[in-house]
């Protein structure tokens, strides 16, 4: 592995064997990166497979030529790998989490809300139809009651009304009401679908922009690190490296590196400075805010499923409501009752035929003929993937310091002569500080 890394980090291969070794290394790296790039374009960013394949092939060929021919480009590319464990890598992982939520969890929420709307529509339609059908009960009662009145009056043979029936016209408008309800339901569904499509498209476009910007900034940050490393001797130069230890030993100044130091740390050690610890805690708090937002979306998914499942079960358990209409009619007729009262003569009212009947009807709120899609439960695999990604995100918060140290080691292996200059600069700085003390 050390020999392979030596060939990979050399500015110019020493012979044809190293040249072919370097070409095979660059080919393997570009093949792996090209496959990951295709999977990222197709599965995460949801580009079509022809576009993803074309972009992956073009990117792989360009990367192969760049790595094979340009020595600083190999260094920048190698620095990108540990940089994925820093802030920019977290942005890419957050972008992936957002896309997973948008593609899987949000449509599930929308589907359960649609189920709830279908239940409400079914209840409204069946209850309105049942209520409109109840007018037939009133019409039947009115006609029978009118017939009884006409029959009583006909038996007395004093006068006869033209028509003793009530007229109902509500049943004629039942189809119009059903039509209006269907139109209203279709409009709600169309508006709901439009909002769903708008939200999904907006988040997808935003996620693609964030992902593209993060990749560009990732390359820029690696290039910026290498540029500062090669131009500024003080940049990221506070590590006790082997070159610094060898230099101090050769000049018999090993005491400069002995004892605790607030500013010097070993690149292979686990010690974190106070500034590094505070930075990790601050970024962990920001990541917790993003996690809370994701948990809110997941909780909404479970809540929507619970509401949809409850609505479907309760709708199927609705019982029919009985409606009773009772009519009790009693009439008597008297012959000149006021005259008999004046003369104080006994009188009796002649009883007519009584009318007493009950009519029954049932109001129905749900029906088996309603087209209600079953509620969709949350996908546990999606929650598992999101949980694992956030575990990686929290790990990168505390590993980013070591990733930056690895960037320093990679740059030093690519430019060994410049690393000696940096070690000499740090040694002079420590010597000057020791003399002042």
């Amino acid at each position: 592995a050390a020999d392979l890394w030596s060939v990979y980090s050399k500015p110019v291969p020493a012979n044809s064997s190293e040249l072919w070794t370097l070409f095979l290394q660059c080919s393997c790296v570009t093949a792996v990166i090209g496959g990951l790039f295709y999977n990222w374009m197709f599965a995460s960013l949801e580009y079509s497979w022809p576009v993803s394949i074309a972009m992956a092939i073009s990117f792989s060929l360009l990367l192969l030529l760049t790595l094979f021919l340009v020595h600083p480009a190999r260094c920048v590319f190698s620095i990108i790998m540990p940089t994925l464990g820093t802030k920019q890598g977290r942005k890419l992982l957050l972008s992936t989490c957002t896309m997973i939520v948008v593609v899987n969890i949000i449509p599930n929420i929308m589907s359960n809300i649609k189920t709830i709307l279908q239940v409400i529509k079914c209840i409204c339609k069946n209850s309105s139809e049942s209520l409109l059908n109840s007018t037939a009960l009133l019409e039947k009662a009115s006609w029978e009651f009118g017939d009884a009145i006409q029959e009583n009056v006909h038996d007395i043979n004093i006068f006869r009304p033209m028509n003793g029936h009530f007229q109902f016209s509500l049943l004629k408008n039942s189809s119009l009401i059903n039509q209006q309800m269907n139109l209203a339901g279709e409009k709600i569904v169309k508006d709901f679908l439009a909002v769903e499509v708008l939200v999904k498209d907006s988040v997808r476009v935003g996620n693609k922009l964030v992902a593209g910007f993060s990749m560009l900034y990732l390359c820029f940050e690696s290039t910026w690190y290498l540029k500062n490393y090669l131009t500024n001797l003080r940049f990221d130069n506070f590590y006790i490296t082997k070159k610094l230890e060898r230099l101090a030993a050769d000049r018999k100044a090993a005491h400069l590196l002995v004892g605790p130091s607030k500013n010097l740390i070993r690149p292979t050690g686990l010690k974190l400075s106070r500034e590094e610890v505070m930075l990790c805690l601050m970024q962990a708090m920001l990541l917790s805010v993003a996690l809370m937002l994701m948990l809110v979306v997941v909780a909404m998914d479970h809540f929507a499923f619970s509401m949809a499942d409850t609505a479907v079960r309760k709708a199927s358990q609705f019982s029919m409501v009985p409606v009773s209409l009772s009519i009790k009619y009693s009439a008597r007729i008297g012959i000149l009752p006021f005259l008999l009262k004046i003369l104080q003569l006994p009188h009796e009212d002649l009883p007519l035929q009584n009318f007493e009947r009950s009519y029954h009807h049932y109001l129905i709120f749900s029906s088996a003929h309603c087209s209600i899609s079953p509620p969709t439960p949350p996908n546990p695999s999606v929650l598992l993937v999101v949980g694992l990604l956030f575990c990686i995100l929290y790990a990168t918060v505390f590993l980013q310091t070591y990733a930056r140290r690895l960037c320093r080691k990679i740059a030093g292996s690519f430019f060994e002569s410049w690393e000696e200059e940096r070690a000499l600069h740090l040694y002079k700085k420590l010597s000057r500080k020791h003399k002042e003390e």
Side-chain angles (χ1 to χ4, degrees):
D3 293 338
L4 291 175
W5 181 258
S6 176
V7 173
Y8 183 76
S9 60
K10 275 185 179 180
V12 179
N15 48 48
S16 59
S17 176
E18 290 187 355
L19 181 65
W20 282 109
T21 302
L22 177 62
F23 181 77
L24 290 176
Q25 285 179 326
C26 296
S27 300
C28 294
V29 169
T30 51
V32 174
I33 298 300
L36 294 176
F37 186 77
Y38 167 77
N39 185 71
W40 182 57
M41 293 278 292
F42 181 72
S44 181
L45 299 183
E46 292 191 327
Y47 283 98
S48 61
W49 68 268
V51 175
S52 302
I53 291 178
M55 292 290 291
I57 293 176
S58 302
F59 175 76
S60 299
L61 293 177
L62 180 62
L63 182 63
L64 176 60
L65 293 176
T66 304
L67 293 180
F68 183 66
L69 298 176
V70 184
H71 174 253
R74 289 201 297 273
C75 182
V76 171
F77 179 78
S78 302
I79 292 176
I80 286 177
M81 297 299 110
T83 308
L84 287 172
T86 60
K87 180 172 63 176
Q88 299 307 316
R90 285 198 301 276
K91 287 183 179 180
L92 290 175
L93 287 178
L94 278 176
S95 174
T96 303
C97 285
T98 303
M99 204 62 198
I100 291 175
V101 169
V102 170
V103 174
N104 296 279
I105 296 181
I106 291 183
N108 197 50
I109 295 175
M110 297 294 186
S111 175
N112 288 323
I113 294 178
K114 287 179 189 177
T115 301
I116 296 174
L117 292 177
Q118 289 173 356
V119 172
I120 295 175
K121 179 182 176 182
C122 177
I123 293 175
C124 292
K125 182 179 180 181
N126 283 280
S127 60
S128 62
E129 289 180 353
S130 181
L131 186 61
L132 290 174
N133 291 335
S134 66
T135 58
L137 182 70
L138 297 175
E139 185 176 23
K140 179 181 178 182
S142 68
W143 279 92
E144 292 182 357
F145 183 53
D147 290 340
I149 294 176
Q150 284 192 337
E151 183 179 354
N152 290 335
V153 176
H154 179 72
D155 292 339
I156 301 174
N157 201 16
I158 298 177
F159 69 92
R160 183 176 301 170
M162 294 180 62
N163 191 353
H165 301 112
F166 299 95
Q167 299 294 330
F168 287 88
S169 59
L170 291 177
L171 285 175
K172 298 178 182 179
N173 296 328
S174 60
S175 60
L176 178 62
I177 294 176
N178 291 332
Q179 183 181 3
Q180 293 296 327
M181 289 189 62
N182 290 330
L183 291 176
E186 291 176 359
K187 185 176 184 304
I188 292 174
V189 171
K190 288 181 180 179
D191 294 342
F192 194 78
L193 290 176
V195 172
E196 178 184 0
V197 171
L198 178 63
V199 170
K200 291 177 66 175
D201 291 344
S202 300
V203 175
R204 283 174 179 171
V205 172
N207 188 67
K208 291 178 181 179
L209 293 176
V210 171
F213 177 78
S214 299
M215 285 297 298
L216 292 177
Y217 193 82
L218 190 64
C219 298
F220 169 78
E221 188 175 12
S222 301
T223 307
W224 175 84
Y225 182 90
L226 183 60
K227 178 258 181 187
N228 287 330
Y229 176 85
L230 295 176
T231 57
N232 187 359
L233 291 172
R234 293 174 296 178
F235 174 74
D236 199 21
N237 194 8
F238 50 86
Y239 300 103
I240 304 176
T241 60
K242 292 183 178 179
K243 293 184 181 296
L244 181 61
E245 290 179 338
R246 191 184 312 112
L247 182 62
D250 293 341
R251 300 193 179 188
K252 298 180 180 181
H255 61 277
L256 297 177
L257 309 180
V258 177
S261 177
K262 295 182 179 179
N263 298 323
L264 293 181
I265 57 176
R266 294 188 178 275
T268 56
L270 299 178
K271 176 185 175 182
L272 295 177
S273 63
R274 182 179 179 183
E275 292 77 10
E276 291 172 339
V277 172
M278 294 302 296
L279 181 61
C280 291
L281 293 178
M282 182 67 68
Q283 292 177 351
M285 291 177 61
L286 295 176
L287 185 60
S288 298
V289 174
L291 177 60
M292 292 300 296
L293 294 177
M294 293 289 181
L295 291 178
V296 168
V297 177
V298 172
M300 289 176 59
D301 187 17
H302 284 79
F303 178 74
F305 169 70
S306 177
M307 291 290 293
D309 185 61
T310 303
V312 171
R313 287 189 291 103
K314 294 297 182 182
S316 62
Q317 296 173 0
F318 278 164
S319 59
M320 294 183 295
V321 178
V323 178
S324 298
L325 175 63
S326 298
I327 300 178
K328 186 176 182 180
Y329 169 73
S330 178
R332 294 175 178 274
I333 185 170
I335 306 299
L336 299 177
F338 64 94
L339 182 59
L340 296 177
K341 286 183 179 180
I342 293 174
L343 300 176
Q344 296 183 354
L345 297 175
H347 65 281
E348 290 185 3
D349 295 334
L350 300 176
L352 298 178
Q353 182 180 0
N354 295 332
F355 181 85
E356 183 175 358
R357 292 185 186 179
S358 296
Y359 303 88
H360 302 281
H361 183 70
Y362 292 93
L363 294 179
I364 302 174
F365 293 96
S366 62
S367 174
H369 301 289
C370 292
S371 58
I372 300 177
S373 58
T376 308
N379 190 353
S381 61
V382 175
L383 302 181
L384 179 62
V385 171
V386 173
L388 290 176
L389 287 178
F390 265 95
C391 290
I392 297 174
L393 285 170
Y394 273 105
T396 59
V397 169
F398 298 96
L399 293 177
Q400 64 178 355
T401 302
Y402 307 105
R404 189 174 182 87
R405 296 177 186 178
L406 184 57
C407 292
R408 168 70 164 72
K409 193 171 183 62
I410 291 173
S413 64
F414 271 84
F415 301 94
E416 294 184 355
S417 60
W418 184 248
E419 181 64 20
E420 293 178 358
E421 292 290 333
R422 291 170 62 86
L424 180 60
H425 172 79
L426 183 57
Y427 172 78
K428 291 180 179 179
K429 179 181 176 181
L430 293 174
S431 299
R432 186 168 54 252
K433 184 177 180 181
H434 181 70
K435 290 179 181 180
E436 291 176 355
E437 292 177 350

